[in-house]
Amino acid sequence: MENNAAVRGLCKNFGDFCLDEVTFGIPAGCVVGLIGENGAGKSTVIKCILGLVRPDKGETEVFGKDAAFLSKREREEVGAVLGESCLPENLTLKEVSGVMARIFSSWDEEGFFALARRFSLPEKKKVREFSRGMRQKAALAVALSHGARLLLLDEPTSGLDPVARDEILDILYDFMRGGEYSALISSHILSDLEKLCDYIVFLHEGKVVFFEEKDALSEKYALFRGSAEEFSALGPCVAAYMRGEFGVSALVYRRAAPAGARLEKAGIEDIMLYYSRGERL
Amino acid sequence: MKGTFFKDLLNIRGQFCYYAVVVVIFFIVSALSGNLYFYAGVSSYCGVVAPLSALSYDEKDGWEPFALAAGVTRKELVLSRYLLGGAVMLPVWALSFLFFALPSLRTAENLYVLLSFGGMGLLVMSATLPFVFKLGVEKARAVYIVLIVACMALCIGAASLIAVAGGEGPLITAAALVAAGVVSVPVSAAFSLSIYRKKDF
């Protein structure tokens, strides 16, 4: 499948933290969820794709071109939401629209205000008077109003209440239904990503642990809970494990597990938790 | 660049009335006292304070990463700050020539003062903005204060020179300051851009 964006062998050293050979793609028409604990490098990867952080090594490609050499028109086809804040707080939405119309040649004012109304955002209030959720929605409305084919969203639902999160996810779901759009969404609220994503990239300490189709994950991994004796009988199918008061729990490769082993379905959160905090054999 | 410049104007519009009050007060004080240094100093101040305010808002709002991601180039972001500084400082400085409508102030000495301060305004802006791009607004404010103090010392020296020297010396100094100010802007912008191009957000 053709990728709308891809990173290959991305490395960036910050001294106390580094991205190490990060490689994955964002297939056209798909949503890729970027997961990992705080400080895993999710934001840095998104910033590298957007050209805000210069990688030490590796390639970032958007629409088949080196991301550093995108034309202005091509850059407009990438919509970004970078955390909570990015819109000028002293401006009203009407003024924000005026600014964006001077930045984006394909600015859709009507579409922007339609989204603002759908999000119940007041047009005449300054952005600084908005709640956190309203700011996120305003940033998302901007990202969806300049003809973007690729969305890069860094923690778009972070800090929002469940209702606001659900509204944002609905909007993203509608946006993606068109089929020709792609999105990379970083989040540590994994239930959000489970609703939306086709693929999952798991970053841990700057490295990609896996880049897989979401549905394949539940086929690939399973959870085991049992006694230490039962655990030792599992053999090499164990990806990571944790010892508890009542025995051992483990993330296992389903296909490699011995026949008859008691296995449960592993969610994305389980997979992330075991890879992040579990011990390896 | 249009969008960024327009956003800056909207962002700092609330401060324009403060600038206007300060400019009017210092204009009146200079006109009544016959001492143009008061007003000339204000015009120099405006060239830096406007881009500093705009950049301060941008840091708080996280605007720069957003603008860069939206396709605004680093060059446009840097140049728009110089444009903003010039757009605020030059009209304020140009207004100072209204003093020559008053016969008592229409002297060669005052002309040298106004020309010198125009050049110094551009020089201060050119010296400060690269620090702002390198260090951020808060740390660069300290540099700006040092520069303003240095400028005041320079002005006191220049005033003594103009009063004592007479002849063509002060005119040459004033013309040299204007020329240095004009040349410093593109040099400083190029320097700022080289700093900004290496910056990660």
Side-chain angles (χ1 to χ4, degrees):
Chain A
M1 191 183 283
E2 193 190 335
N3 282 330
N4 264 355
V7 294
R8 286 185 208 96
L10 203 63
C11 296
K12 177 75 183 177
N13 193 345
F14 290 103
D16 55 345
F17 165 78
C18 68
L19 280 186
D20 188 6
E21 296 286 337
V22 172
T23 299
F24 67 90
I26 307 171
C30 293
V31 182
V32 176
L34 185 55
I35 64 170
E37 68 270 47
N38 290 334
K42 304 187 294 290
S43 298
T44 307
V45 168
I46 289 180
K47 286 176 177 179
C48 283
I49 300 173
L50 288 167
L52 303 175
V53 169
R54 275 133 213 271
D56 301 329
K57 214 180 98 188
E59 295 165 25
T60 51
E61 203 179 272
V62 174
F63 305 133
K65 278 175 80 172
D66 185 333
F69 298 106
L70 290 181
S71 66
K72 183 160 169 48
R73 185 71 196 83
E74 286 162 334
R75 280 218 172 272
E76 287 191 19
E77 293 183 341
V78 181
V81 173
L82 302 164
E84 179 194 341
S85 169
C86 67
L87 299 179
E89 291 187 1
N90 273 350
L91 273 56
T92 62
L93 282 193
K94 208 168 166 51
E95 290 163 346
V96 166
S97 177
V99 170
M100 298 306 163
R102 287 166 174 83
I103 287 178
F104 298 111
S105 59
S106 50
W107 178 247
D108 176 9
E109 188 174 5
E110 221 169 275
F112 174 68
F113 284 114
L115 279 173
R117 280 190 292 277
R118 183 170 168 189
F119 287 147
S120 310
L121 298 174
E123 291 175 21
K124 288 175 185 165
K125 265 191 179 176
K126 290 188 175 176
V127 173
R128 70 163 172 255
E129 294 167 58
F130 284 11
S131 67
R132 190 170 183 173
M134 287 159 92
R135 284 176 201 213
Q136 287 286 62
K137 287 176 189 172
L140 192 60
V142 169
L144 296 175
S145 302
H146 54 81
R149 285 195 288 138
L150 170 66
L151 285 180
L152 300 176
L153 311 175
D154 190 11
E155 304 280 0
T157 54
S158 147
L160 302 185
D161 62 69
V163 176
R165 267 171 39 209
D166 207 52
E167 279 177 324
I168 285 186
L169 293 174
D170 277 351
I171 291 289
L172 288 173
Y173 190 77
D174 286 351
F175 175 78
M176 294 308 304
R177 254 196 330 208
E180 63 211 271
Y181 305 107
S182 313
L184 174 67
I185 306 175
S186 84
S187 181
H188 50 253
I189 304 171
L190 302 180
S191 56
D192 290 353
L193 295 182
E194 278 189 301
K195 283 184 198 170
L196 268 179
C197 293
D198 303 298
Y199 290 84
I200 299 286
V201 186
F202 176 33
L203 272 185
H204 180 57
E205 293 175 348
K207 289 182 186 166
V208 172
V209 177
F210 59 74
F211 169 45
E212 301 258 10
E213 258 187 270
K214 183 187 71 185
D215 296 336
L217 283 173
S218 53
E219 289 168 24
K220 186 172 177 179
Y221 294 101
L223 278 186
F224 162 84
R225 290 179 219 276
S227 65
E229 292 74 37
E230 286 170 314
F231 171 70
S232 57
L234 285 175
C237 71
V238 175
Y241 68 97
M242 286 193 261
R243 289 183 193 280
E245 230 175 292
F246 304 105
V248 183
S249 61
L251 182 71
V252 300
Y253 297 108
R254 191 183 283 275
R255 282 185 191 161
R262 277 181 293 126
L263 300 179
E264 299 165 21
K265 189 177 178 237
I268 297 173
E269 197 160 342
D270 299 314
I271 298 169
M272 183 175 144
L273 194 69
Y274 277 87
Y275 270 116
S276 302
R277 298 192 54 207
E279 294 175 61
R280 310 289 166 92
L281 282 178
Chain B
M1 189 151 69
K2 264 191 305 180
T4 305
F5 184 68
F6 181 58
K7 188 268 309 162
D8 284 342
L9 290 180
L10 290 173
N11 234 351
I12 62 168
R13 78 199 129 166
Q15 293 174 18
F16 279 128
C17 61
Y18 298 117
Y19 299 158
V21 169
V22 170
V23 164
V24 168
I25 289 172
F26 278 76
F27 192 93
I28 293 168
V29 169
S30 284
L32 293 178
S33 66
N35 184 344
L36 302 198
Y37 287 96
F38 291 114
Y39 183 83
V42 166
S43 68
S44 307
Y45 162 82
C46 289
V48 178
V49 80
L52 271 185
S53 298
L55 277 157
S56 176
Y57 281 121
D58 284 357
E59 279 182 12
K60 186 164 69 73
D61 296 339
W63 169 259
E64 286 167 296
F66 173 82
L68 291 169
V72 177
T73 63
R74 290 177 189 242
K75 189 176 177 183
E76 286 173 327
L77 274 177
V78 167
L79 292 183
S80 66
R81 312 311 177 173
Y82 284 85
L83 186 64
L84 181 68
V88 175
M89 186 213 132
L90 292 175
V92 175
W93 179 64
L95 277 178
S96 63
F97 289 91
L98 284 178
F99 287 120
F100 292 115
L102 300 170
S104 61
L105 295 178
R106 207 178 299 148
T107 64
E109 184 192 328
N110 279 342
L111 176 65
Y112 305 153
V113 169
L114 294 184
L115 288 175
S116 301
F117 270 88
M120 275 195 289
L122 292 174
L123 280 170
V124 171
M125 179 174 86
S126 301
T128 309
L129 285 181
F131 284 102
V132 178
F133 288 114
K134 178 78 182 168
L135 306 171
V137 174
E138 280 318 307
K139 286 181 186 163
R141 271 189 214 281
V143 175
Y144 175 51
I145 290 165
V146 170
L147 279 169
I148 286 290
V149 171
C151 264
M152 282 166 66
L154 242 165
C155 294
I156 292 165
S160 313
L161 179 77
I162 289 168
V164 175
E168 292 205 335
L171 174 62
I172 292 168
T173 308
L177 276 170
V178 171
V182 170
V183 171
S184 72
V185 174
V187 172
S188 166
F191 193 50
S192 293
L193 188 58
S194 74
I195 293 168
Y196 207 62
R197 281 200 169 124
K198 291 175 196 140
K199 202 168 174 178
D200 283 340
F201 290 90

